[in-house]
Amino acid sequence: MTTVVTARRVIDGTGRAPIEDGAVLIDGDRIAAVGRRAEIPVPDGAQLIDCGDQTVLPGFVDAHSHASLIPGLGDQDGQQMEPVNRQLLRAASCLRTDLKSGVTTMRVMGEEHFIDVDLRTAIAAGQIPGPRLLIATRPITARNGHGAALTFSDGEDEIRKHIRENLAMGADLIKLFMTGGVSSTKGTGVAWYSYSPREVEVAVEEAHRSNKPVAVHAHGGPGARICIEAGVDTIEHGKLLEADDLREMRRRGIWLVTNNAVSGHPDGIEKGDGHDPKIMARLAESRRNAPANFKAVLDSGVRWALGTDAMHGLMWWEIATVVGWGASPHDAILAATRWAAEAIGMEREVGSLQPGKLAHLISVEGDPLRDAASLQRIGLILQGGRRRDTLSVE
Ligand SMILES: [Zn+2]
């Protein structure tokens, strides 16, 4: 099956200027050619999809999310301790919302009961709609750590064992919780940390020996520094990183995956846990500091990518927010497409519209380089060349 998608402009995700009157030629599930409409041959019998005045761009890559969590429901640890069937059904609904918002690839950053293994399989088999998933399976966290629901990993031996179990079940990456978090009542604050340097080294060694990356939940302070020096692959959140942390991340090529809707959007932690004054105080502080922290990231030259952290359907909001804080609109779109694909090790398959890559593409109304809010007005969604925008709305 050959398809030609045409549109007023195409942002191809390589970083070059948009292609005016652009076209994308798709052969089966892969992109065959991208260019100006006049330059792209239309083979006999090809399906034509004209997006008119809209803008075509790569499908979003959500570099950090969760399948079963909904922050607005509150008590995220408790959500992961609910009966497994309930979690699975909630996850299926969330993943559909993600796909319909233009997210065609997503990294799932920790689920209990290995439900992400089954979700990845069901999506790949076409049984349920959702983004293509990369999965962390069970998070690695200490008994007294943030993100702890059912699985705890204390000491070097248990960390090794649980990582090996995760890998045996098919984990694509290892997720480790190091510091506290905004939504947590455990620990003494977001900079408090759980693991010793040796424990982090063991986790990195175990994952890297199997060629799997380590993504660490860390806001800042000595806990983040320990992880940076242990050679983790991505720092997630990073809201309290100092200039020398950012310098060291840049030197080592460690990515920052940042997300802001979960703390900044009224439907996030505020809706779910805003009744707890301790959490609300952390949220207020996080919101106050977020723009300046992000500016420091931009100034540092650290490579960064965006994720929604389970704020399903709000990738556009993540992009619009960092544009409001000084990122160029084009860079913010790259952080949700090609850079995110690079951060999660998927850049050979997705993240840009280039020959040979999977045909994951979306169209949006208007020009997102002028108005990032237009990214919420999704038209076409193609995933591996297949239409997903025609999915019925629940
Ligand atoms: Zn998360």
Side-chain angles (χ1 to χ4, degrees), residues 11-31:
I11 297 171
D12 68 5
T14 64
R16 67 166 157 159
I19 305 163
E20 298 297 326
D21 282 318
V24 182
L25 174 65
I26 297 161
D27 187 10
D29 63 348
R30 303 258 163 192
I31 294 166

Side-chain angles (χ1 to χ4, degrees), residues 64 66 109 175 237 309:
H64 178 134
H66 303 263
M109 302 300 277
K175 163 79 180 291
H237 314 301
D309 203 8

Side-chain angles (χ1 to χ4, degrees), residues 62-78:
D62 187 339
H64 178 134
S65 194
H66 303 263
S68 69
L69 291 179
I70 299 179
L73 294 178
D75 187 15
Q76 296 188 42
D77 294 348

Side-chain angles (χ1 to χ4, degrees), residues 117 120 135-137 163 165-174 212:
V117 175
R120 184 181 61 182
I135 60 171
T137 70
I163 288 177
E165 286 171 358
N166 286 358
L167 294 173
M169 287 298 287
D172 298 304
L173 71 141
I174 297 303
K212 300 298 182 194

Side-chain angles (χ1 to χ4, degrees), residues 159-234:
I159 289 169
R160 261 192 217 289
K161 184 171 175 233
H162 288 166
I163 288 177
R164 288 180 190 179
E165 286 171 358
N166 286 358
L167 294 173
M169 287 298 287
D172 298 304
L173 71 141
I174 297 303
K175 163 79 180 291
L176 185 129
F177 280 93
M178 185 60 163
T179 75
V182 175
S183 69
S184 177
T185 48
K186 294 177 195 141
T188 55
V190 289
W192 170 88
Y193 66 100
S194 54
Y195 282 129
S196 70
R198 181 67 194 138
E199 286 174 310
V200 177
E201 280 167 25
V202 163
V204 171
E205 193 262 333
E206 196 62 47
H208 283 181
R209 186 148 36 76
S210 293
N211 283 322
K212 300 298 182 194
V214 178
V216 176
H217 168 110
H219 279 289
R225 190 63 186 212
I226 286 166
C227 295
I228 292 164
E229 283 171 2
V232 303
D233 300 274
T234 56

